[in-house]
Amino acid sequence: MGLMQRFSTLFKAKASKTLDKYEDPRETLDYSYERTLEMLQKMRRAVADVATSRKRIELQAQQLQRSAAKLEGQATQAISQNREDLAREALTRRQAIATQLTDLQAQHDQLKAEEARMVEASRRLQAKVDSFRIRKETMKANYTAAEAQTKVNEAISGIGEEMGDVGLAMQRAEDKVAQMQARSGALDELMASGALDDASMSSDRLQAELDRGFAEPAVEAELARLKGEITGGSTTAKQLGASGEAAAEPAAETPAPAQAPVEEERR
Amino acid sequence: MIVRISGEGQFEMPDGHLEELNRLDGDLTKAVDAGDEAQFKAALETLLASVRTAGEELPADWIGPSDLVLPSPDATIHEVREVLGDEGLIPG
């Protein structure tokens, strides 16, 4: 037997299991209708779950993008300080983030496709539910007719088949969401541990070194100035003026009194 | 004859198209037996395309059972085997 036949037989056997039949066809119709409504509700919850997971991925991606941008800025800063080692480290981290971002994008696309498929399946099921409700009432009214039983059975297997189909789609989406949540959780942990260095934590040491890169020339300058004061040379004062400008940024951290003696000397 | 493509909907096939479907089903069965995922994807896509072009899609509010049910376009061998369950893949 071909795959098509076997797949059909087993699919239908599974689908019909979702609707245990009552002896009275009228009861079976009501029961089937209720089960279909339940399925529709479950489906809507599943769509919401997929959307939530998708949003979580989007947030993680945004966070990673911020980290990547910050690391890129740090790399530029490091190069301007001639610290190739630091630039290399920043870029390595940025590369790791880029890999994660590519993975996230792929997952995001998958979930989006899954979401679209489920929305479409919900729409089809909704149309069937509406149509089934009308048919159910008509059939209940004249189910005594000879052919009614066949029609009822047909309608019920038709609706059962649709539910089986929707159930399969839902299960697949749930599996994907579960996989994704596990990965997403792992990524959160990676970020928290600093292994993947999210901008706030990861680059602390990197930033400290870069700050030192700015601070060191300033310290050297101060040193030179003090030495100059002791030897009393006027040329050192000029040098100080130049390096004082270069060290403008970290000057906020270095104590202000450093400037005062300069003013005195200039007078 | 009514054919369902899982996750996509039901199609009404013209009489006489079954032979073509059976031929394409043969290719699909071979791919599953061989466990060849790429071959499976290609065979499934051809089979589904044949249903979509030769058949006419039934409206969403139509209620009735299908004569045949086919796996969804993105199905994997693994998923198909899962539906087939313990039956294995030995042709019966």
Side-chain angles (χ1 to χ4, degrees):
Chain A
M1 207 200 299
L3 180 108
M4 201 162 61
Q5 284 291 347
R6 300 219 333 280
F7 190 85
S8 304
T9 312
L10 285 155
F11 177 89
K12 287 189 190 183
K14 284 190 184 184
S16 74
K17 257 189 226 160
T18 59
L19 298 173
D20 304 303
K21 286 172 189 163
Y22 284 78
E23 297 243 327
D24 185 339
R26 283 176 301 183
E27 279 180 41
T28 316
L29 283 170
D30 286 336
Y31 176 76
S32 302
Y33 180 65
E34 265 171 46
R35 294 293 311 269
T36 317
L37 284 182
E38 275 171 31
M39 183 57 110
L40 196 55
Q41 270 175 353
K42 267 202 230 165
M43 188 70 177
R44 293 207 173 113
R45 274 198 298 271
V47 172
D49 281 352
V50 174
T52 308
S53 298
R54 176 176 54 78
K55 277 178 199 144
R56 186 173 175 196
I57 288 190
E58 279 165 14
L59 284 177
Q60 279 186 329
Q62 276 169 19
Q63 209 177 335
L64 286 176
Q65 257 151 11
R66 275 198 298 274
S67 299
K70 186 170 178 187
L71 284 167
E72 173 139 21
Q74 287 174 333
T76 314
Q77 205 180 340
I79 285 167
S80 74
Q81 287 178 23
N82 269 332
R83 289 294 305 270
E84 206 182 306
D85 57 330
L86 290 184
R88 196 176 296 271
E89 181 163 350
L91 291 176
T92 308
R93 287 181 188 180
R94 194 173 148 273
Q95 195 52 48
I97 288 175
T99 311
Q100 291 286 344
L101 268 172
T102 313
D103 279 4
L104 278 187
Q105 187 60 50
Q107 283 183 42
H108 181 261
D109 292 350
Q110 261 186 24
L111 281 187
K112 237 185 150 169
E114 215 59 64
E115 200 180 333
R117 211 171 293 147
M118 288 176 81
V119 167
E120 178 57 24
S122 305
R123 189 192 61 80
R124 268 202 315 270
L125 190 60
Q126 179 69 64
K128 285 221 164 40
V129 166
D130 294 343
S131 151
F132 189 57
R133 188 184 55 235
I134 298 162
R135 272 229 249 170
K136 173 173 85 78
E137 294 313 321
T138 324
M139 284 175 178
K140 272 168 76 181
N142 39 358
Y143 93 102
T144 41
E147 46 160 23
Q149 186 65 61
T150 327
K151 281 196 178 166
V152 166
N153 284 345
E154 228 182 60
I156 286 168
S157 25
I159 205 87
E161 195 183 299
E162 191 67 32
M163 277 166 68
D165 193 19
V166 164
L168 211 65
M170 209 154 70
Q171 201 190 329
R172 198 177 47 203
E174 275 165 7
D175 287 351
K176 283 216 174 113
V177 166
Q179 269 173 24
M180 222 267 330
Q181 279 172 343
R183 289 193 57 174
S184 204
L187 189 59
D188 275 345
E189 270 177 38
L190 263 176
M191 283 165 133
S193 74
L196 191 68
D197 287 341
D198 122 275
S200 52
M201 329 210 15
S202 60
S203 29
D204 272 2
R205 200 181 55 76
L206 199 64
Q207 192 60 53
E209 284 225 32
L210 285 171
D211 288 346
R212 205 180 314 142
F214 274 123
E216 266 165 14
V219 170
E220 289 303 316
E222 286 297 296
L223 216 62
R225 185 187 57 78
L226 288 172
K227 278 184 192 159
E229 261 178 36
I230 289 161
T231 50
S234 60
T235 39
T236 38
K238 258 187 213 163
Q239 277 174 1
L240 179 60
S243 47
E245 264 171 45
E249 205 175 314
E253 277 173 31
T254 41
Q259 303 287 338
V262 186
E263 299 284 310
E264 270 177 28
E265 266 190 67
R266 275 183 184 156
R267 270 178 230 145
Chain B
M1 192 178 67
I2 311 287
V3 177
R4 171 186 292 279
I5 298 180
S6 294
E8 204 169 302
Q10 288 165 293
F11 295 81
E12 176 144 35
M13 305 305 296
D15 293 338
H17 193 71
L18 187 61
E19 211 170 294
E20 169 75 356
L21 291 187
N22 273 329
R23 191 180 63 76
L24 297 173
D25 180 39
D27 296 343
L28 188 66
T29 311
K30 267 183 233 151
V32 174
D33 288 342
D36 187 333
E37 193 76 55
Q39 203 188 330
F40 170 81
K41 278 246 169 283
L44 180 62
E45 197 38 66
T46 317
L47 177 61
L48 300 185
S50 165
V51 171
R52 287 188 204 112
T53 43
E56 199 176 318
E57 187 164 6
L58 289 163
D61 60 357
W62 185 85
I63 300 172
S66 312
D67 299 295
L68 284 173
V69 181
L70 299 180
S72 60
D74 62 345
T76 58
I77 290 189
H78 175 77
E79 273 178 324
V80 169
R81 282 182 173 158
E82 227 163 55
V83 174
L84 295 183
D86 303 328
E87 288 253 318
L89 288 153
I90 302 118

